[in-house]
Amino acid sequence: MKRLVVFDFDWSLIDQNSDVWIIEQLSPIIAEQINELKEKYQWTDLMNYLVGEIYKQGITKQQFEQAFAAIPFKPEMIEALKMIKSANGDIIILSDANTVYIEAILKAYEVSDLISNIISNPAAWDEDGRLHIRRLNNIPHGCENPCSENICKGHELIKFLSAHPNEYYQIIYVGDSFNDFCPATKMSSNDILLAREGFKLASFLNDTLPPSHEYKNMNRRISPRIIYWKDAGRILEFINDIFDKSK
C-alpha cells in the first residue's frame, strides 16, 4: 500500500488562479469583465464564455500555450512532486479549473509524468482553435458542504478511492479553498490535510470568517490532522520530512 497525495491546482499546486490569470495575460480588457459577470454566470460557464470572447479577438492556441508556460509554478513545489514520486507515492489533481489548462501547465513544466490522474472540468479545443470548457457535473449533487455547483470534491475523492481499493494507507490533501473542505470530511484520523494560510479554507477551519458569512456556522469538525502551510517551501519541507520518515 502507498500514500496518495491529492493536490488542488489553483493557489495550491501552482501559485495563481489559472482561470483568471490566463485571461488577464491574453486579454486584460476581457478580464475586467470577470467581477461583473461572475454574479450572472456559474463560474465554469463564465470561463467557457470568456475564452469564447478571447477566440473572437483572434487569440490563438499558441498564445494560450505561451501563457500556460509562464504561470507561476514554484520550483520547490515541483521538487516536492518529484520527491513524492521517487518515494513511490501517487499524486492526483482534484481541481475546479479545467483539464486543458492543467495538462498544458504540467507539460510546460515537464511534470506530467508525475501525476497519476486529473479530475477536473473537461475541456477541449475544436478544429477552429476555440477552447470549450464544460462542467464536470451537470446534475445537482446535493452536498451539504461548501462545494461548487459543478463539482463535489468529496464525492470525486470517494469515487477515485473506490476505483483503487486497498491501494493507499494514507491520504495527504493539499488545498486552499472552501471546496477543499468536503474531501477532508471523507478522510480519516490517519490522514493529513494541508491547508494554505491566508486563504478561505484556513479561515473556515480557524473560525475567522466574518460573522455574516454564509458558512460561518457550519460544522467544521473533521478527522484528519491539519497542518497549515504558507508557501511551496513549507510543502517541500513537509514532504521531505514525512516521506523520509517512511523509508
Side-chain angles (χ1 to χ4, degrees):
M1 296 179 72
K2 300 181 286 186
R3 281 193 174 97
L4 174 68
V5 184
V6 185
F7 280 92
D8 170 50
F9 193 65
D10 295 332
W11 291 120
S12 292
L13 186 59
I14 64 170
D15 220 28
Q16 260 295 341
N17 179 332
S18 60
D19 283 337
V20 174
W21 195 88
I22 294 297
I23 292 172
E24 287 175 340
Q25 305 309 302
L26 297 175
S27 177
I29 293 174
I30 289 177
E32 289 176 359
Q33 302 177 39
I34 293 176
N35 284 335
E36 176 187 352
L37 292 177
K38 72 181 181 181
E39 305 301 325
K40 303 176 183 179
Y41 285 81
Q42 187 274 341
W43 184 260
T44 309
D45 297 346
L46 174 58
M47 291 301 108
N48 184 59
Y49 168 74
L50 293 178
V51 296
E53 293 302 295
I54 285 176
Y55 170 74
K56 291 176 185 177
Q57 286 191 346
I59 302 296
T60 66
K61 180 179 177 181
Q62 183 180 21
Q63 288 171 285
F64 270 90
E65 290 173 345
Q66 289 169 350
F68 296 146
I71 201 165
F73 197 158
K74 299 296 185 183
E76 296 91 341
M77 195 65 80
I78 292 172
E79 184 61 29
L81 294 178
K82 293 177 179 178
M83 190 173 295
I84 294 165
K85 201 66 178 178
S86 68
N88 199 36
D90 279 353
I91 305 165
I92 68 170
I93 293 172
L94 181 49
S95 167
D96 197 11
N98 69 77
T99 55
V100 162
Y101 281 20
I102 295 170
E103 289 169 2
I105 292 167
L106 295 176
K107 181 180 178 181
Y109 282 90
E110 301 181 343
V111 293
S112 299
D113 60 334
L114 304 179
I115 310 301
S116 302
N117 204 346
I118 297 170
I119 303 168
S120 189
N121 298 300
W125 301 97
D126 67 20
E127 60 185 13
D128 296 320
R130 199 273 201 203
L131 180 62
H132 297 268
I133 305 169
R134 295 185 292 111
R135 302 186 193 191
L136 178 64
N137 183 13
N138 282 300
I139 302 170
H141 50 67
C143 183
E144 62 185 11
N145 293 314
C147 295
S148 302
E149 181 180 341
N150 57 297
I151 181 172
C152 170
K153 289 188 174 184
H155 171 76
E156 296 300 330
L157 178 60
I158 291 298
K159 187 164 71 172
F160 177 84
L161 293 172
S162 296
H164 300 81
N166 303 316
E167 284 191 34
Y168 305 109
Y169 70 90
Q170 186 180 49
I171 301 167
I172 299 169
Y173 190 103
V174 184
D176 68 277
S177 197
F178 290 131
N179 64 1
D180 295 312
F181 174 74
C182 190
T185 68
K186 314 302 180 186
M187 293 159 62
S188 75
S189 57
N190 183 54
D191 300 328
I192 300 171
L193 173 64
L194 294 167
R196 190 165 192 180
E197 294 176 5
F199 286 76
K200 294 175 181 178
L201 178 61
S203 296
F204 176 69
L205 294 171
N206 289 319
D207 195 15
T208 57
L209 293 173
S212 61
H213 198 281
E214 60 180 316
Y215 301 144
K216 178 68 175 177
N217 297 316
M218 276 190 61
N219 181 4
R220 52 183 55 80
R221 194 173 304 161
I222 54 175
S223 298
R225 179 161 63 104
I226 302 170
I227 295 176
Y228 295 96
W229 61 283
K230 183 178 180 180
D231 53 31
R234 177 66 184 100
I235 291 291
L236 178 58
E237 179 183 304
F238 167 80
I239 293 298
N240 181 58
D241 183 55
I242 195 165
F243 278 89
D244 185 64
K245 284 181 179 178
S246 66
K247 290 179 180 178

